């Protein structure tokens, strides 16, 4: 690149233009294709790599959208880990995975980083099939320590010597699974490294030079050798004196190091807290821990979400997740909604119900804004409970409230509710407690992909006795279903609804409780019946219009309830139509299976009825736009029409050509 300004001559100006075009904001990062390239650099160059990695992360996510703040917070940590450890031979596991974008850039995926969360592009989370540098897929939190311990034990059984490192956030540490794993790891004394990325809850106060010095000291070989020698000496002292000496050493370290005692009691050697943005502190500590021959070890690293990008640092949520945005201003390119989102409709409906009934309470597991519980919290802060990433606890906590006459609404994503299934069965269903489950993100969710799709709740709840299960076909129906749940006081209930905007239908002023187990006929026809459970009703209406144009008179029914089913309506549809299709946004074993079981028991499948159940395919669907995912799943209007012709034994393409 030329280092002087152009003179104004045309040839100089042409050369200058070429030079500007060739200029890179990330010259050192451009030379790194894998962590092996990073490890060839001098230690004094690592700071520049981290700075360029932050810039590349900002530029990439401004184009793709996605999780943002947490990734910016671990740029230095990511760079240091790949510089110090021999990845992928050393296993590096990122808990949840939403902070792994910088990791992806450094591990051979930079050329695809602007395909994040798009069809055929990179996953927004770590994924084993995507890279050898992703040893464990993670999009649900708090799994990293368990997985890492499994890998460490497998290494020991195989006689290996590699390191296993789990990076877990302070939010993820609110889940019991993390402590179960730590308790097990401490008891087994397997060589394992856990890095606690403290970026939100401020477990420790701001750290400085003294804390960093102590961390280097405690992680260093000299101190560890002296400590081990002291332990050996203690073995030869009277037990009461040895125990007292150990306590003094542990608690003095806990006092000086701001919180290490808890982890020491679980069997971990605690190091920290250290500044996660200061490479002069990070690199020597990581190197010391890498060379330890015993474990497990926990390194407490303090980072800042959104670090290095002003708008994110200034934002309340540190730009945790974003859509496309302007790098210069931080302004996010959010489209104007045409209709209210389902989560907001739920939150607003719950507020209205709580205004009438002081027994209504709201519960969420670390997702208040994602579920609409944040709206409830603003209106009723004392009746709102965010239990952290602890779905099991959330369910049984709600059960306890229900035993005392309260009306708990447990608002949890479908994909996360799976984590509390034993509690749903044992603590809620068996005792017939009126816990109300609000199941957000039902169906396919687009960019978050298979890990966040609400595919299975109809199947895993439908098999439980005495459960009321509903699905809203639009946002107005959701209002009425919330009111219905308030009125159910003798058994558990669930309402499922999707991510995103509603249909823009006219909204009721107040919700009115529905008759339990009664659906509705939306359109009358004579030959084909489309029985919808959930928001595929809109696609059924499109399909019915097309079928009518093709000469097939079609009835549309909104089931509303999967359990109990509207027996009268279903039998009537079966008697009066040649073809009956059920359509749902869930896996096999859900609504369609219940309908077929009912029809079989009543002999309705013994005659001429052509019955088909349209469900999600028996595979995990990768991320894409929701419309593209539903088309691939065969649950859009076009697929519904084709299924009708298949049931009739006719070729859809041939019939449409004839009519044309």
């Amino acid at each position: 690149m030329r280092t002087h300004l152009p003179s104004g001559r045309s040839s100089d100006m042409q050369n200058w233009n070429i030079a500007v075009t060739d200029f890179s904001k990330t010259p050192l990062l451009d030379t790194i294709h894998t962590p092996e390239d990073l490890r060839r650099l001098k230690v004094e160059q690592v700071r520049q790599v981290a700075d360029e990695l932050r810039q590349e992360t900002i530029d990439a996510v401004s184009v793709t959208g996605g999780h943002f703040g947490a990734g910016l917070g671990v740029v230095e940590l990511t760079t240091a880990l790949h510089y110090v450890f021999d990845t992928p031979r050393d296993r590096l596991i990122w808990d949840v995975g939403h902070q792994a974008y910088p990791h992806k850039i450094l591990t051979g995926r930079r050329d695809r980083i602007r395909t994040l969360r798009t069809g055929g592009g990179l996953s927004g989370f770590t994924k084993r099939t995507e890279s050898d540098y992703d040893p464990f897929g993670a999009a649900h939190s708090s799994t990293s320590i368990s997985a890492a311990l499994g890998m460490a034990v497998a290494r020991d059984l195989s006689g290996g010597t590699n390191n296993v490192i789990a990076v877990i956030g302070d939010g993820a540490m609110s889940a019991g699974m993390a402590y179960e794993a730590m308790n097990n790891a401490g008891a087994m004394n397997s060589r394992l490294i856990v890095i606690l990325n403290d970026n939100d809850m401020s477990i420790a106060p701001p750290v400085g030079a003294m804390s960093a010095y102590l961390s280097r000291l405690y992680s260093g070989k000299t101190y560890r050798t002296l400590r081990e020698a002291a332990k050996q000496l203690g073995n030869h002292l009277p037990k009461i004196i040895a125990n007292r000496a150990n306590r003094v050493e542990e608690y003095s370290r806990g006092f000086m190091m701001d919180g290490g005692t808890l982890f020491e009691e679980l069997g971990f050697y605690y190091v920290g807290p250290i500044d996660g943005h200061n490479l002069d502190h990070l690199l020597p500590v990581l190197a010391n821990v890498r060379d330890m021959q015993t474990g497990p070890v926990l390194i407490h690293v303090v980072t800042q979400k959104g670090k290095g990008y002003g708008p994110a640092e200034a934002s309340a949520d540190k730009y945790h997740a974003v859509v496309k945005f302007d790098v210069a201003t931080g302004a996010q390119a959010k489209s104007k909604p045409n209709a209210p989102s389902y989560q907001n409709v739920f939150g607003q409906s719950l507020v209205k119900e709580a205004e009438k009934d002081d027994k209504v309470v709201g519960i969420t597991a670390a997702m208040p804004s994602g579920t609409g519980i944040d709206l409830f919290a603003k209106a009723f802060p004392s009746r709102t409970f965010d239990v952290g990433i602890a779905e099991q606890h959330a369910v049984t906590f709600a059960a306890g409230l229900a035993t005392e006459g309260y009306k708990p609404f447990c608002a949890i994503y479908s994909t996360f509710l799976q984590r509390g299934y034993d509690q749903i069965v044992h603590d809620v269903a068996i005792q017939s407690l009126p816990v109300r489950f609000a199941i957000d993100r039902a169906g396919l969710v687009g960019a978050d992909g298979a890990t966040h799709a609400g595919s299975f709740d109809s199947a895993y709840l439908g098999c439980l006795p005495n459960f009321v299960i509903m699905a809203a076909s639009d946002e107005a129906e959701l209002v009425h279903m919330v009111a219905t749940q308030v009125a159910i006081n003798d058994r558990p209930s669930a309402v499922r609804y999707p991510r995103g905007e509603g249909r823009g239908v006219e909204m009721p002023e107040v919700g009115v409780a529905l008759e339990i187990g009664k659906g509705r006929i939306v359109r009358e026809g004579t030959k084909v019946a489309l029985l919808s459970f959930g928001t595929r009703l809109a696609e059924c209406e499109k399909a019915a219009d097309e079928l009518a144009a093709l000469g097939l008179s079609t009835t549309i029914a909104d089931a509303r309830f999967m359990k109990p089913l509207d027996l009268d309506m279903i039998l009537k549809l079966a008697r009066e139509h040649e073809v009956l299709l059920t359509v749902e946004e869930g896996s096999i074993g859900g609504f369609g299976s219940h309908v077929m079981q009912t029809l079989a028991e009543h002999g309705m499948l013994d005659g001429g009825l052509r019955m088909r159940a349209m469900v999600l395919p028996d595979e995990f669907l990768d991320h894409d736009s929701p419309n593209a995912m539903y088309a691939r799943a065969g649950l859009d209007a076009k697929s519904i029409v084709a299924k009708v012709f298949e049931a009739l034994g006719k070729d859809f393409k041939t019939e449409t050509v004839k009519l044309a």
Side-chain angles (χ1 to χ4, degrees):
M1 177 178 175
R2 297 166 71 97
T3 57
H4 60 277
L5 292 172
S7 64
R9 296 193 304 271
S10 59
S11 59
D12 282 339
M13 186 60 71
Q14 184 178 17
N15 289 337
W16 179 256
N17 288 337
I18 292 171
V20 170
T21 302
D22 291 342
F23 174 76
S24 172
K25 292 186 290 186
T26 56
L28 196 52
L29 186 63
D30 293 345
T31 68
I32 298 171
H33 303 290
T34 68
E36 198 169 325
D37 298 324
L38 172 65
R39 291 190 283 269
R40 292 193 186 102
L41 299 179
K42 297 177 180 177
V43 69
E44 54 266 25
Q45 294 177 290
V46 177
R47 175 74 262 174
Q48 182 182 339
V49 173
D51 291 341
E52 293 179 9
L53 180 59
R54 176 169 281 108
Q55 184 60 54
E56 177 69 357
T57 301
I58 293 169
D59 289 346
V61 181
S62 74
V63 174
T64 65
H67 292 98
F68 187 51
L72 292 184
V74 297
V75 164
E76 287 82 7
L77 179 60
T78 304
T79 308
L81 285 168
H82 283 297
Y83 187 74
V84 170
F85 290 95
D86 184 21
T87 54
R89 193 181 76 87
D90 287 339
R91 309 292 194 240
L92 176 58
I93 304 167
W94 295 93
D95 205 282
V96 185
H98 63 223
Q99 74 274 51
Y101 298 179
H103 160 79
K104 294 193 178 209
I105 293 170
L106 285 180
T107 54
R109 288 168 276 184
R110 186 185 179 189
D111 61 337
R112 293 181 289 154
I113 199 65
R114 286 164 180 78
T115 69
L116 270 169
R117 296 159 53 87
T118 60
L122 294 178
S123 168
F125 305 98
T126 53
K127 191 173 183 180
R128 280 174 53 81
T129 56
E130 191 175 283
S131 172
D132 290 340
Y133 291 92
D134 292 358
F136 198 76
H140 290 188
S141 84
S142 316
T143 61
S144 60
I145 304 176
S146 297
L149 180 59
M151 293 179 189
V153 169
R155 172 204 62 208
D156 296 342
L157 291 172
S158 302
T161 59
N162 62 293
N163 290 287
V164 182
I165 310 103
V167 183
I168 183 169
D170 53 301
M173 286 289 281
S174 67
M177 183 175 177
Y179 293 95
E180 292 174 19
M182 291 180 71
N183 183 55
N184 191 202
M188 296 178 69
N189 200 36
S190 189
R191 190 164 59 84
L192 168 69
I193 299 167
V194 173
I195 297 176
L196 170 58
N197 176 31
D198 177 5
N199 66 8
D200 198 18
M201 290 171 59
S202 297
I203 292 173
V207 294
M210 180 56 72
S211 178
Y213 168 74
L214 290 172
S215 294
R216 288 198 299 273
L217 172 66
Y218 290 143
S219 65
K221 186 174 182 180
T222 301
Y223 176 81
R224 286 184 283 112
T225 302
L226 288 171
R227 190 182 187 210
E228 188 60 34
K231 285 185 177 180
Q232 294 301 321
L233 177 62
N235 292 335
H236 300 284
L237 294 173
K239 188 173 182 180
I240 187 170
I241 297 176
N243 288 344
R244 191 71 58 85
N246 286 339
R247 289 295 181 190
V248 169
E249 195 267 351
E250 288 178 8
Y251 284 115
S252 66
R253 289 182 69 245
F255 173 75
M256 288 188 292
M257 304 304 286
D258 297 305
T261 302
L262 168 64
F263 303 112
E264 292 276 3
E265 292 294 334
L266 286 170
F268 276 71
Y269 186 93
Y270 174 86
V271 177
I274 59 175
D275 184 349
H277 302 296
N278 191 325
L279 288 164
D280 291 335
H281 297 173
L282 270 177
L283 290 171
V285 168
L286 291 177
N288 284 339
V289 171
R290 175 198 62 197
D291 297 334
M292 286 184 180
Q293 297 304 308
T294 58
V297 181
L298 184 136
I299 308 173
H300 183 176
V301 176
V302 178
T303 62
Q304 180 186 357
K305 267 188 176 181
K307 176 72 173 178
Y309 184 60
E313 290 182 0
S315 170
D317 69 351
K318 309 300 180 188
Y319 280 39
H320 172 73
V322 295
V323 294
K324 298 176 184 180
F325 64 92
D326 180 81
V327 174
T329 65
Q332 298 188 49
K334 290 188 176 179
S335 59
K336 188 175 180 180
N338 297 315
S341 68
Y342 280 97
Q343 67 198 49
N344 285 345
V345 170
F346 166 73
Q348 292 160 2
S349 300
L350 195 59
V351 167
K352 289 183 178 179
E353 295 298 330
E355 289 170 347
K356 298 181 292 183
D357 189 337
D358 63 6
K359 294 295 187 182
V360 172
V361 298
I363 301 166
T364 182
M367 299 300 291
S369 60
T371 58
I373 287 291
D374 59 332
L375 303 178
F376 186 81
K378 290 176 183 176
F380 301 101
S382 65
R383 289 155 63 182
T384 305
F385 305 94
D386 184 348
V387 302
I389 303 174
E391 292 83 5
Q392 293 172 303
H393 165 61
V395 173
T396 305
F397 171 62
L401 280 161
T403 64
E404 297 297 323
Y406 279 82
K407 299 182 177 182
F409 276 78
C410 204
I412 301 178
Y413 291 4
S414 169
T415 183
F416 296 153
L417 189 59
Q418 297 161 186
R419 306 182 77 167
Y421 189 61
D422 177 63
Q423 288 68 30
I424 295 171
V425 176
H426 185 271
D427 300 336
V428 175
I430 289 177
Q431 303 186 89
S432 199
L433 290 171
V435 174
R436 292 114 175 128
F437 293 97
I439 305 177
D440 202 322
R441 269 54 170 185
L444 302 176
V445 294
D448 283 337
T451 56
H452 282 58
S455 306
F456 310 114
D457 57 274
S458 292
Y460 69 66
L461 292 180
C463 60
L464 301 179
N466 207 30
F467 228 103
V468 175
I469 303 173
M470 298 173 277
S473 57
D474 57 43
E475 60 271 40
E477 284 287 294
L478 179 57
V479 175
H480 297 311
M481 288 178 178
V482 171
T484 305
Q485 286 189 289
V486 172
I488 298 173
N489 292 307
D490 60 345
R491 49 189 156 161
S493 61
V495 59
R496 71 191 314 260
Y497 49 92
R499 179 182 190 176
E501 297 175 8
R503 297 181 61 186
V505 300
E506 185 176 348
M507 296 292 285
E509 283 295 320
V510 293
V512 178
L514 303 173
E515 184 180 352
I516 302 298
K518 290 297 177 183
R520 59 178 180 139
I521 300 295
V522 176
R523 185 184 304 183
E524 293 275 9
T526 57
K527 190 174 184 67
V528 176
L530 303 179
L531 177 56
S532 175
F533 182 62
T535 55
R536 289 292 92 189
L537 183 69
E539 292 299 306
C540 288
E541 291 175 346
K542 293 177 187 176
D545 291 340
E546 188 171 344
L547 289 167
L550 295 169
L552 295 175
S553 177
T554 302
T555 294
I556 304 173
D558 177 10
R560 282 179 166 165
F561 294 85
M562 179 179 122
K563 200 165 188 178
L565 288 170
D566 187 338
L567 181 61
D568 292 340
M569 183 179 76
I570 290 172
L571 293 179
K572 186 173 187 294
L573 293 174
R575 282 194 303 267
E576 297 179 0
H577 297 82
E578 186 176 339
V579 175
L580 172 59
L581 261 61
T582 61
V583 186
E584 63 187 298
E585 299 149 311
S587 70
I588 188 171
F591 175 70
S593 297
H594 283 249
V595 172
M596 281 195 277
Q597 177 75 18
T598 297
L599 292 174
E601 287 177 352
H602 287 80
M604 301 303 294
L605 300 180
D606 300 343
L609 177 67
R610 300 168 186 261
M611 165 73 193
R612 301 291 187 273
M614 298 187 71
V615 299
L616 291 174
D618 190 26
E619 62 179 293
F620 292 106
L621 296 174
D622 281 337
H623 52 279
D624 206 331
S625 70
N627 287 341
M629 292 183 77
Y630 277 115
R632 180 180 165 192
L635 289 175
D636 58 353
K638 180 180 178 181
S639 301
I640 294 170
V641 172
K643 182 65 72 173
V644 169
F645 276 87
E646 176 190 307
L648 290 169
K650 299 179 180 179
D651 183 75
F652 173 50
K653 292 181 180 178
T654 302
E655 294 297 321
T656 51
V657 169
K658 284 180 183 177
L659 287 167

